Amino acid sequence: MPARMSSRAPAGFCRSLPELGLLLLLVFVLLQGSVFPHGADASADTSHHGGDGCSSTHVKEINRTKKAFPVLSFEYEHIKTPFEVSIWVLFASLMKLGFHLVPRLSSIVPESCLLIVVGLLVGGLSKLIGDTELPKLDSKNFFLVLLPPIILDAGYFLPIRPFMENLGTILMFAVVGTLWNAFFIGSLLFAVCQIPAAGLTHLGLLSCLLFGSIISAVDPVAVLAVFEEIHINELLHILVFGESLLNDAVTVVLYHLFEEFSVFGPVTVLDGFLGVISFLVVALGGVLVGAIYGIVAAFTSRFTSHMRVIEPLFVFVYSYIAYLSAELFHLSGIMALIACGAVMRPYVEANISHKSHTTIKYFLKMWSSVSETLIFILLGVATVGGPHNWNWIFVTATVFLCLVARVMGVVGLTFIINKFRIVKLTTKDQFIVAYGGLRGAIAFSLGFLLEHEDEDMKHIFLTAIITVIFFTVFVQGMTIKPLVELLAVKKKQEAKRSINEEIHIQFLDHLLTGIEDICGHYGHHHWKDKLNRFNRKYVKKCLIAGERSKEPQLIAFYHKLEFKQAIQLVESGAGGKLSSALPSTVSIQNIQPKKPPPAPETRERVLPQLPKAREEEIRKILRSNLQRTRQRLRSYNRHTLVADPFEDGFSDLLKKQKMFELEKKIKEMNNYLSVPAATSDSPTLRRARLASDPQSYNVKPDADGVPTIQVELASPQSPDSVNIVNIVDEVKRDREKDEDMGLTMKPPSAPSKQGAEEDAKDQQKLMRCLSDPGPSADEGEDDPFLP
Amino acid sequence: MGGTQTRVTQLDPDLVERTGFSPEQINNLHKRFQQLSENKETISRESLNRIPALANNPIRSQIIEAFFDKRNQHGSEVGSLEEITFEQFLMVMSHFPPPNSGNDRRGEGGVLFNMHDTNGDGTITLAEYRKVVEELLSKCGTIGQEAAKEITDAAMLEVASTNVPHMGPEDFYEGITFEHFEQILKGLEMESRMHIRFLDTATVHCGKS
């Protein structure tokens, strides 16, 4: 979904400045449209003044060079097109910024409306100024340049699970609903046109049906723009949005069908039949093309491990080519794009680096955001500029019929659908679905594309289309938010999926599959399970590089979750508030069994386990104890002074490697600890428990007397490097308690020093503190590790 | 099969009320039961084990156990049975009603809970939970086993944090109780998922088991 760039409102007096800047830019835009071409023409004219022959121009040039050499010349034609495009893109983006500076505007009026208004203003101004050439919402530009980024963004980030679960419903709405809309509106409009008073009798049935097919489709751009801001629950969002995406196939087929027929006369049954076949070909063909390109892209990404920088390029280019290929054959380009993005995503994400993932995400959001903005502005401009033919009856009939058709369609279809759904759609849901059927720029472009000898009719259509678009975007777009609040429609849950939920969902899937197998029925769980197994066995091996191909989904999910948490932790900074959603004091020791398992097991647990398990344990403990040890961190955390060792990227592998080294060091330190037989927990756990000991806080007063290092809150610290300090602390305190001897740092540090020569910078930082020939064994333990 | 058909419903007319299935659905299930039990009166674990499609299911043993678990019989007994009759089979199946039966069973997390809580003490301890995760990952080799421990720890920690936010360092969280379990499931709308949609059509593939 396109993200909105939001900027915080600066202090009061600054607000006028950006607006002034915007105004200046606006004037500049208009000027360049009007003045400069004249300027360019002027210079072109002078060069032809002398005559047509090249000799004369040549003479002219020679003559001209006799004058002073032009130090500064002005040649606009050369850069005209890129310059104008850039100015428009810049203008659109500045508008977006500008909206958020005005305090309450963006919460009342959706952005799409504001942008259309801006477009109207620009168009109006340009008309006032006079003869200017403004970029039109050209169908070619629209379909080839402006639309693909938005659709790719939607397709790549499509939530697959809810989409698939509701696929039947979505298809019903998209196919049957759109067909119903088209025919209902078309035929009733034809009836309206028969009224002599309207003066529209020249519009044939097929023309009306053609118009109906253009106006009936719900527009993904408009839906995205409006629904993004209202945060309704996932089900409704996916229903309306999925419908807007999938109805493209229907629209394409109907449009071409009626366009053909309105030119070539009467329709036969064979034609109708061919139309149905055509629909299937268009839809499935589009999906197939997209899927093929998606698989090729996934396969390509398998080999990009040495050339990480161009990974995002593959995603974008393959998707775009998929779109163009589908358009080549008159298949549904939108469905191809969606299929491509959705198919390639799981495999590509397993292969590419974290940075590439971020790049893809932000580029897609950026492009789709700019595209959307441009589309709405240009829509406004085209409204002012375009030739209009306002016919009251036609326009009002259109608007009215659109609404009625939508409501009737949704209600009727829901009635049928609810018979097959487990989670029924309530009346509230139906209302939102019906109300969310917004029309947008696709309808406009399709209308623009119409080639009909009757220009008059085309203008009538365009006017009506624009009116409907304006009505849906302004009226429905603005009121849907308060209505959602009023009707108390369920909002999107902010909580992310937790590991528990993932476990249980998988469990339930397997359970239901098993029950189906016991009952001998091949239900949809069975097939889903088969597909998953096929995926795991063959497809993943082929498309995912290296070890990750064997990683089961639960583990992949878990690692992703851990990763995100670690990053969150680092970003929030150890000194800041802990960003965990659950401020709780529960930690690992609370859930470990209290009853000591028999002694042999104890031995097992103390012995070094497999590195990975241990490191995860440590990581968890560290994280969970971070809250408590934060206090002490402030005084002696010199790691903030050094460059952030994690700048190079948070790649899993790197982290794991570091954790492994960390673990090795702790293991070595372990060897110097005596493990009291009383408790059966592993040393790490004991240390953890001691960390929460009230005793540990007594340390603080001592620390104050010692020169402390201020913690740089801004710089992200790695929780790992920070906490190793505390672990060492606790280790020492342990030893003190148990052995009650003076402690010298040297023994533990010595072997640690050996391990110091690692690649990663942070290891060296750690080593610097660990290997410090610390102060002699007294309360000086709590000193910072100052040399 | 016609004779058996009428016999089943005659045998126990209140089966319909007790399980919530329609007579036709009960008949379909009965046919399947006959298949599985090879026309005997009861089925044992082996007969369920023999189903080939189940071989790929990682939690197969737990599913089969669920059928033989007394707690799923809507009674209050604990323990497990050796063999089950058709009636008991139906009782377990009734936890998964078909979607439009109007059988709005709340608290269906029960059968799931019982599947996790193998020793029947009313809580899912860390060890039991770990076993669940291990089973889920059982098809994935050694990676699965190591990761199972971490995942279980993280999951348990999360449940404890959500439900009992403030525990002192010496407190101990015994395990997931039924209420906590339902809390987890609430987010997933589990009740809406626990349906099997097939019971209206004849499900029997004769000759295949």
Side-chain angles (χ1 to χ4, degrees):
Chain A
M1 317 291 159
R4 299 282 182 266
M5 299 182 280
S6 64
S7 50
R8 296 185 201 91
F13 72 97
C14 286
R15 258 184 240 147
S16 55
L17 219 54
E19 288 172 6
L20 190 60
L22 289 173
L23 203 57
L24 282 175
L25 193 64
L26 192 58
V27 174
F28 183 59
V29 166
L30 294 169
L31 278 180
Q32 59 91 1
S34 56
V35 170
F36 297 150
H38 295 166
D41 289 337
S43 66
D45 283 339
T46 48
S47 64
H48 286 295
H49 247 298
D52 301 21
C54 42
S55 55
S56 49
T57 47
H58 187 61
V59 165
K60 202 81 188 135
E61 281 173 18
I62 296 179
N63 282 348
R64 268 205 298 229
T65 50
K66 289 246 174 79
K67 299 185 193 134
F69 186 76
V71 174
L72 202 61
S73 53
F74 193 88
E75 198 181 333
Y76 184 65
E77 283 300 321
H78 186 58
I79 54 149
K80 182 167 178 231
T81 320
F83 191 70
E84 284 183 356
V85 170
S86 309
I87 287 281
W88 273 100
V89 172
L90 191 60
F91 176 62
S93 313
L94 286 171
M95 282 294 116
K96 265 179 99 83
L97 277 185
F99 292 145
H100 290 278
L101 295 179
V102 183
R104 291 206 43 222
L105 195 59
S106 45
S107 56
I108 306 176
V109 187
E111 259 186 39
S112 40
C113 304
L114 291 172
L115 291 168
I116 294 186
V117 168
V118 167
L120 286 174
L121 283 175
V122 171
L125 272 173
S126 79
K127 254 213 163 125
L128 281 178
I129 290 186
D131 170 38
T132 59
E133 33 178 285
L134 285 170
K136 288 189 167 299
L137 192 57
D138 186 4
S139 288
K140 189 157 152 246
N141 281 341
F142 177 74
F143 279 113
L144 293 183
V145 177
L146 290 176
L147 189 61
I150 303 180
I151 304 293
L152 180 60
D153 181 36
Y156 195 77
F157 293 109
L158 193 68
I160 292 286
R161 213 186 156 100
F163 186 74
M164 285 299 166
E165 281 176 8
N166 294 300
L167 191 61
T169 314
I170 293 177
L171 277 175
M172 273 291 267
F173 277 128
V175 177
V176 180
T178 312
L179 280 173
W180 157 258
N181 275 353
F183 281 103
F184 184 77
I185 295 176
S187 36
L188 280 187
L189 265 182
F190 180 63
V192 165
C193 289
Q194 298 311 308
I195 303 174
L200 294 164
T201 42
H202 57 282
L203 291 172
L205 175 64
L206 278 168
S207 308
C208 287
L209 283 176
L210 177 60
F211 179 72
S213 70
I214 296 176
I215 199 77
S216 63
V218 177
D219 186 78
V221 179
V223 164
L224 261 179
V226 168
F227 270 50
E228 240 240 330
E229 302 182 4
I230 62 178
H231 301 297
I232 50 169
N233 63 38
E234 199 180 47
L235 173 67
L236 287 178
H237 191 179
I238 200 73
L239 280 182
V240 182
F241 184 59
E243 179 196 344
S244 68
L245 289 175
L246 293 186
N247 66 18
D248 179 60
V250 181
T251 312
V252 164
V253 170
L254 280 181
Y255 180 77
H256 287 299
L257 211 63
F258 288 134
E259 212 184 15
E260 286 281 313
F261 296 156
S262 65
V263 172
F264 289 123
V267 184
T268 65
V269 174
L270 180 65
D271 292 326
F273 186 63
L274 282 178
V276 171
I277 305 260
S278 164
F279 165 70
L280 287 172
V281 167
V282 162
L284 296 176
V287 171
L288 191 67
V289 167
I292 292 178
Y293 275 103
I295 295 198
V296 175
F299 189 68
T300 313
S301 73
R302 188 179 162 183
F303 302 106
T304 55
S305 48
H306 299 290
M307 200 56 190
R308 294 279 185 199
V309 195
I310 56 173
E311 273 172 345
L313 190 70
F314 286 118
V315 172
F316 301 140
V317 174
Y318 272 115
S319 313
Y320 193 49
I321 292 187
Y323 178 74
L324 294 175
S325 309
E327 289 288 328
L328 178 67
F329 296 107
H330 267 270
L331 304 174
S332 166
I334 291 186
M335 292 184 88
L337 210 46
I338 302 278
C340 188
V343 164
M344 81 161 94
R345 187 180 177 202
Y347 308 109
V348 162
E349 297 224 322
N351 283 332
I352 60 178
S353 69
H354 181 75
K355 277 188 170 170
S356 296
H357 171 78
T358 311
T359 309
I360 292 179
K361 182 165 141 193
Y362 278 98
F363 259 81
L364 281 179
K365 300 282 181 214
M366 180 185 80
W367 268 330
S368 66
S369 186
V370 169
S371 268
E372 203 181 294
T373 314
L374 272 177
I375 288 179
F376 283 117
I377 291 185
L378 290 177
L379 202 58
V381 170
T383 309
V384 175
H388 289 303
N389 188 338
W390 181 270
N391 185 312
W392 272 104
I393 298 186
F394 191 78
V395 171
T396 44
T398 310
V399 174
F400 178 70
L401 283 174
C402 277
L403 286 173
V404 168
R406 177 80 183 156
V407 170
M408 282 173 69
V410 168
V411 170
L413 281 175
T414 318
F415 181 70
I416 303 176
I417 289 173
N418 270 345
K419 293 209 198 327
F420 297 98
R421 278 182 68 91
I422 298 179
V423 178
K424 316 270 183 226
L425 293 176
T426 65
T427 322
K428 257 195 257 176
D429 294 338
Q430 293 175 39
F431 177 73
I432 296 289
V433 172
Y435 208 67
L438 305 174
R439 312 311 200 258
I442 291 188
F444 180 77
S445 310
L446 283 176
F448 218 75
L449 266 178
L450 277 177
E451 283 161 11
H452 212 275
E453 55 287 348
D454 192 353
E455 280 295 312
D456 186 43
M457 187 174 80
K458 180 172 166 181
H459 295 156
I460 296 179
F461 284 173
L462 273 180
T463 313
I465 292 175
I466 288 188
T467 315
V468 172
I469 295 178
F470 270 50
F471 182 81
T472 55
V473 172
F474 277 90
V475 174
Q476 287 179 241
M478 273 206 273
T479 54
I480 200 168
K481 197 163 183 184
L483 273 173
V484 163
E485 304 280 336
L486 195 66
L487 293 174
V489 178
K490 237 184 345 173
K491 293 274 191 110
K492 182 160 74 163
Q493 296 164 301
E494 285 309 328
K496 296 214 203 310
R497 178 93 66 90
S498 73
I499 186 76
N500 274 304
E501 295 181 347
E502 181 72 18
I503 292 178
H504 288 293
I505 284 186
Q506 288 217 359
F507 191 81
L508 194 66
D509 274 344
H510 287 299
L511 176 64
L512 290 175
T513 312
I515 299 280
E516 282 187 0
D517 289 332
I518 288 181
C519 298
H521 176 73
Y522 293 146
H524 82 275
H525 279 106
H526 179 91
W527 293 117
K528 201 160 77 154
D529 189 57
K530 263 211 159 109
L531 184 68
N532 276 338
R533 266 188 287 129
F534 173 72
N535 187 19
R536 202 170 35 226
K537 229 164 125 182
Y538 299 111
V539 182
K540 272 193 177 166
K541 287 231 174 69
C542 194
L543 296 179
I544 299 185
E547 271 304 304
R548 308 266 323 246
S549 59
K550 300 199 208 75
E551 204 177 39
Q553 193 199 348
L554 189 60
I555 296 184
F557 178 83
Y558 176 66
H559 282 151
K560 227 190 328 185
L561 206 64
E562 287 256 304
F563 202 64
K564 279 192 201 145
Q565 277 180 351
I567 291 183
Q568 243 183 10
L569 212 56
V570 168
E571 279 179 358
S572 69
K577 287 205 225 330
L578 197 59
S579 60
S580 82
L582 314 162
S584 71
T585 54
V586 180
S587 61
I588 279 284
Q589 67 261 27
N590 292 111
I591 60 175
Q592 291 295 336
K594 245 186 189 153
K595 229 175 0 177
E601 231 181 273
T602 314
R603 205 93 3 193
E604 258 179 64
R605 294 185 70 172
V606 167
L607 282 177
Q609 296 168 2
L610 295 162
K612 205 159 148 190
R614 184 65 163 276
E615 108 208 13
E616 296 288 334
E617 193 179 52
I618 292 174
R619 201 194 300 176
K620 250 190 304 294
I621 294 163
L622 296 181
R623 194 184 315 122
S624 59
N625 280 295
L626 187 62
Q627 198 174 9
R628 277 177 232 117
T629 57
R630 217 189 319 141
Q631 313 264 330
R632 294 179 295 139
L633 284 177
R634 257 182 239 279
S635 30
Y636 35 31
N637 188 1
R638 68 203 314 245
H639 298 289
T640 51
L641 294 182
V642 301
D644 180 23
F646 280 93
E647 284 253 294
D648 292 340
F650 291 99
S651 68
D652 270 357
L653 246 45
L654 194 57
K655 245 169 123 234
K656 286 198 167 83
Q657 184 201 341
K658 284 174 191 150
M659 288 309 302
F660 182 78
E661 309 303 338
L662 193 61
E663 184 272 334
K664 222 171 38 177
K665 263 173 252 103
I666 291 186
K667 225 186 335 176
E668 282 149 359
M669 280 192 280
N670 271 351
N671 298 336
Y672 290 84
L673 284 180
S674 63
V675 180
T679 62
S680 59
D681 295 336
S682 64
T684 42
L685 290 177
R686 274 186 50 251
R687 267 179 261 135
R689 192 173 303 129
L690 284 167
S692 59
D693 232 322
Q695 173 128 28
S696 62
Y697 290 98
N698 293 340
V699 164
K700 261 219 100 176
D702 285 325
D704 278 342
V706 179
T708 57
I709 297 172
Q710 288 309 318
V711 168
E712 278 284 324
L713 294 186
S715 68
Q717 313 153 20
S718 71
D720 310 324
S721 61
V722 154
N723 282 308
I724 190 63
V725 175
N726 303 309
I727 292 264
V728 176
D729 242 17
E730 294 152 36
V731 166
K732 286 182 289 170
R733 213 163 293 112
D734 259 5
R735 297 198 50 199
E736 264 187 300
K737 276 204 190 81
D738 299 331
E739 305 171 42
D740 201 23
M741 327 189 296
L743 176 73
T744 58
M745 264 297 279
K746 284 210 169 34
S749 66
S752 309
K753 226 185 201 153
Q754 287 155 15
E757 276 66 45
E758 311 294 352
D759 323 338
K761 281 186 289 183
D762 72 313
Q763 308 297 336
Q764 289 162 0
K765 311 294 183 304
L766 285 168
M767 286 347 297
R768 229 179 279 152
C769 81
L770 285 177
S771 62
D772 247 340
S776 49
D778 49 24
E779 294 322 297
E781 287 324 327
D782 313 319
D783 284 350
F785 295 98
L786 289 176
Chain B
M1 288 281 201
T4 358
Q5 200 170 0
T6 42
R7 193 176 64 194
V8 170
T9 41
Q10 278 168 1
L11 264 182
D12 213 340
D14 70 342
L15 260 184
V16 175
E17 282 102 60
R18 281 207 299 170
T19 60
F21 292 131
S22 73
E24 194 201 318
Q25 291 165 343
I26 295 183
N27 282 321
N28 285 332
L29 284 174
H30 187 73
K31 286 186 206 152
R32 179 62 179 168
F33 186 82
Q34 299 276 18
Q35 246 196 349
L36 289 175
S37 71
E38 289 150 2
N39 291 318
K40 294 205 282 276
E41 283 299 316
T42 61
I43 53 175
S44 63
R45 286 187 179 81
E46 289 72 43
S47 27
L48 286 181
N49 259 325
R50 272 202 299 265
I51 303 174
L54 268 188
N56 286 315
N57 202 316
I59 56 170
R60 174 172 85 154
S61 49
Q62 292 185 316
I63 298 179
I64 295 180
E65 267 314 302
F67 276 91
F68 293 88
D69 192 339
K70 279 198 197 153
R71 287 173 297 171
N72 291 331
Q73 295 293 328
H74 296 273
S76 48
E77 308 170 2
V78 285
S80 66
L81 308 158
E82 279 308 312
E83 304 203 330
I84 55 173
T85 64
F86 177 60
E87 199 180 306
Q88 290 164 326
F89 179 75
L90 263 193
M91 294 307 278
V92 176
M93 287 300 301
S94 69
H95 287 282
F96 303 97
N100 295 310
S101 60
N103 199 350
D104 211 16
R105 293 172 161 265
R106 298 278 151 207
E108 275 325 299
V111 69
L112 282 177
F113 189 79
N114 290 337
M115 287 175 80
H116 295 320
D117 182 21
T118 43
N119 61 1
D121 62 356
T123 55
I124 305 178
T125 63
L126 187 65
E128 288 171 343
Y129 207 19
R130 190 171 302 160
K131 181 143 193 316
V132 171
V133 176
E134 273 173 9
E135 291 272 310
L136 267 181
L137 296 172
S138 59
K139 297 269 169 200
C140 312
T142 49
I143 321 171
Q145 302 315 310
E146 298 163 21
K149 184 176 183 314
E150 309 153 21
I151 295 179
T152 318
D153 287 344
M156 199 74 172
L157 195 61
E158 197 187 299
V159 177
S161 310
T162 340
N163 289 305
V164 192
H166 298 285
M167 294 175 71
E170 290 306 317
D171 291 347
F172 178 60
Y173 180 72
E174 285 91 23
I176 309 179
T177 60
F178 188 58
E179 292 82 41
H180 296 170
F181 192 68
E182 291 213 295
Q183 276 288 94
I184 304 174
L185 298 190
K186 209 164 52 149
L188 294 169
E189 299 171 345
M190 279 294 193
E191 301 97 33
S192 58
R193 293 176 193 249
M194 299 258 291
H195 294 284
I196 313 261
R197 282 177 203 251
F198 58 91
L199 296 172
D200 292 324
T201 58
T203 61
V204 175
H205 301 264
C206 288
K208 276 196 239 175
S209 61

